Amino acid sequence: MRHTTPTILPPTGDLGGSSKSEATDNRAAESRAGDSRAPRPGRLLAIVLTGQLMAVLDVFIVNIAAPTVRADLHASGAGLQLVIAGYTISYAVLLITGARLGALLGHRRMFLTGLAVFTGASLACGLAVTTGQLIAFRFVQGAGAALMLPQVLSLIQRTFTGGSRARALGAYAAVLASGAAGGQIVGGALVEADLLGSGWRPVFLVNVPIGLSLLILGPRLLHEPAGPPRPAGPPRPRAEGPAARRSGLDLPGLVLLAAAVLLFTVPLVLGQERGRPLWGWIALGMSAVLVALFAAYETRLARRGGAPLISPRVVRAPGMPLAVIRIALGMAANAGFLFAMTLHVQGGLGYGPLRAGLTFVPTAVAFGVVGLNWQRLPARWQAVAVPGGFLLAAASFAGTGLVLRGGTDGGPWLLVALTASGAGLSFAYSPLLTRTLASVRQQDAADASGVLVTAAQLGLLTGVAVFGAVFLGATDGTVPSAGASADALWVTCVALAGAALCGVLMSLVRRVGNLR
């Protein structure tokens, strides 16, 4: 990947009487002397994407280790669900706040702060001796990720332009969804290796040396990028705005949003085991009400000159509402497919952790290759990349279910289907992310990144909950035979194909809207 490396020079203006040639010489000398300190986009991208990959892997790496965790800590079913989902819940609840804190305090500072919290929590998870401790530390891990990950998109937005930005966003997209499959692979390898009899603990401890390395390199290689000037303190309200809004954190908005996300995620995570009780449906309904109240409050606050948690201007940017839905849909299909396939290959086909993880290599490789190279396609092909990607994903889901019917291992056709699923999901996601962020003003990058990453995260959680429930419901919650598991997977793959076809229809709706 090629990146230009700009040198940030002092502003040209009144130089205290120096001649133009002297000013030029001075700037050149300063540039040469400060080369080691100059922002280097390639190094910045490597640092932030490594942190991104580490955090995304952690969402999925625990899935493979879950049986070992349960046996070692004697965790109940609900306890195990919270070990897996505690990270996701706190991550989803705090993402928007993490994005806002980055805009207020500096994206570099908040990235490193979140990285430190995440690394420390990973160490604590690896040393936990009870289920309760592990659940608590997983929530802290999610909080660290929520501080760290929104800064990645913002730093990319403010560091890269043009083709370099498209390539950087392609790398970001590849890391985001390839981490889902990569987490299964790494988790399987670590659990099966059983290093020094440590069982599941390395799936958390592996983050510690990586995080410490980034914390050592980050302060030297990460720089707050050039961009629209950001005030040193919180943004000041307009003249007519109340003084109470000077904090810029919008605490009422944060409380409303956090409550809405919690009421949405907790029933999805715990409802399946409890048979979808009435309280779960009530919580989902209350979540919808709080989302409406949050939107009304944010709009009113913006009109009064305050600093809303999510700017209505960002939400109403061209294509943003539909992009949020399609990103969530794509990530839901991705997570649901991986979850159901993991249950099938380990339960139905009897694969060990490592072999189960390696099954997803074609999906991860295809997603990464497409994410890095889709912008090289002719413009007319790029225009249909998103609907074409959803269509290819739908075909791959149906194909996977077909080749595995009857309890077989699918042979080479499974390799084809899994490769197609990774390519299709990447075509559906990567161009969509790039185009949506291109439609947002640069000063709104933090809010936009928070919205899009939250949509992706809620999509991942929803996919596991919804399509996982389809698979588990088709097996009646028992350990199925190979044939019964294959039948359940077929039902799930049909549902996944239907969801992907909805992504195709949304693209058609947008095209009709543009024609009008």
Side-chain angles (χ1 to χ4, degrees), residues 2-360:
R2 297 177 181 174
H3 301 290
T4 58
T5 305
T7 302
I8 308 301
L9 299 177
T12 55
D14 183 5
L15 298 175
S18 299
S19 66
K20 182 177 181 179
S21 61
E22 290 172 337
T24 302
D25 291 340
N26 288 339
R27 288 197 302 272
E30 183 172 344
S31 175
R32 289 190 298 269
D35 278 348
S36 64
R37 301 186 307 272
R40 296 179 183 272
R43 294 181 180 181
L44 179 145
L45 188 65
I47 291 288
V48 298
L49 289 188
T50 301
Q52 170 90 17
L53 178 61
M54 184 172 63
V56 173
L57 284 174
D58 216 74
V59 177
F60 297 93
I61 199 171
V62 184
N63 287 340
I64 293 290
T68 310
V69 172
R70 185 171 193 173
D72 185 37
L73 298 182
H74 307 289
S76 65
L80 189 63
Q81 282 185 301
L82 286 174
V83 167
I84 295 173
Y87 176 97
T88 306
I89 292 172
S90 63
Y91 181 22
V93 166
L94 296 174
L95 267 173
I96 297 294
T97 302
R100 171 52 56 88
L101 288 173
L104 292 176
L105 304 177
H107 303 298
R108 171 185 177 274
R109 177 185 299 175
M110 294 313 301
F111 177 86
L112 293 174
T113 300
L115 177 62
V117 172
F118 181 89
T119 303
S122 296
L123 176 62
C125 286
L127 300 178
V129 295
T130 67
T131 304
Q133 289 178 7
L134 185 54
I135 291 171
F137 295 142
R138 286 284 282 169
F139 271 92
V140 177
Q141 257 193 325
L147 292 177
M148 176 173 60
L149 295 193
Q151 319 316 324
V152 175
L153 271 180
S154 296
L155 287 167
I156 290 174
Q157 280 284 91
R158 296 182 60 193
T159 301
F160 297 92
T161 58
S164 294
R165 177 184 290 177
R167 289 190 292 274
L169 288 172
Y172 167 86
V175 165
L176 180 63
S178 295
Q184 310 271 358
I185 297 167
V186 174
L190 291 173
V191 172
E192 191 148 309
D194 192 20
L195 301 172
L196 301 177
S198 55
W200 53 271
R201 298 181 186 278
V203 302
F204 298 110
L205 296 177
V206 69
N207 293 328
V208 177
I210 300 173
L212 290 176
S213 298
L214 294 180
L215 287 170
I216 292 171
L217 295 174
R220 291 186 293 172
L221 299 182
L222 285 182
H223 296 261
E224 195 70 28
R230 180 182 58 83
R236 289 174 296 177
R238 299 171 191 168
E240 67 274 16
R245 305 300 178 191
R246 290 183 184 275
S247 69
L249 283 179
D250 183 17
L251 292 179
L254 172 60
V255 171
L256 285 172
L257 181 63
V261 173
L262 280 172
L263 288 172
F264 177 77
T265 55
V266 170
L268 289 180
V269 172
L270 301 180
Q272 171 65 28
E273 186 180 73
R274 289 165 171 74
R276 302 296 174 192
L278 178 61
W279 66 259
W281 296 108
I282 293 174
L284 290 173
M286 292 178 62
S287 174
V289 172
L290 288 180
V291 167
L293 290 175
F294 172 76
Y297 173 80
E298 297 293 279
T299 300
R300 182 182 178 188
L301 179 60
R303 287 175 180 170
R304 292 186 335 198
L309 192 64
I310 300 177
S311 170
R313 181 178 63 243
V314 172
V315 177
R316 296 167 186 162
M320 177 65 80
L322 195 57
V324 167
I325 296 173
R326 288 194 292 178
I327 283 176
L329 182 63
M331 289 297 100
N334 184 32
F337 179 66
L338 291 173
F339 183 76
M341 278 292 295
T342 300
L343 293 178
H344 175 64
V345 298
Q346 288 196 81
L349 299 182
Y351 289 2
L354 180 57
R355 186 178 179 185
L358 291 174
T359 301
F360 301 103

Side-chain angles (χ1 to χ4, degrees), residues 272 468-480 484 488:
Q272 171 65 28
V470 172
F471 181 89
L472 294 172
T475 60
D476 296 325
T478 61
V479 178

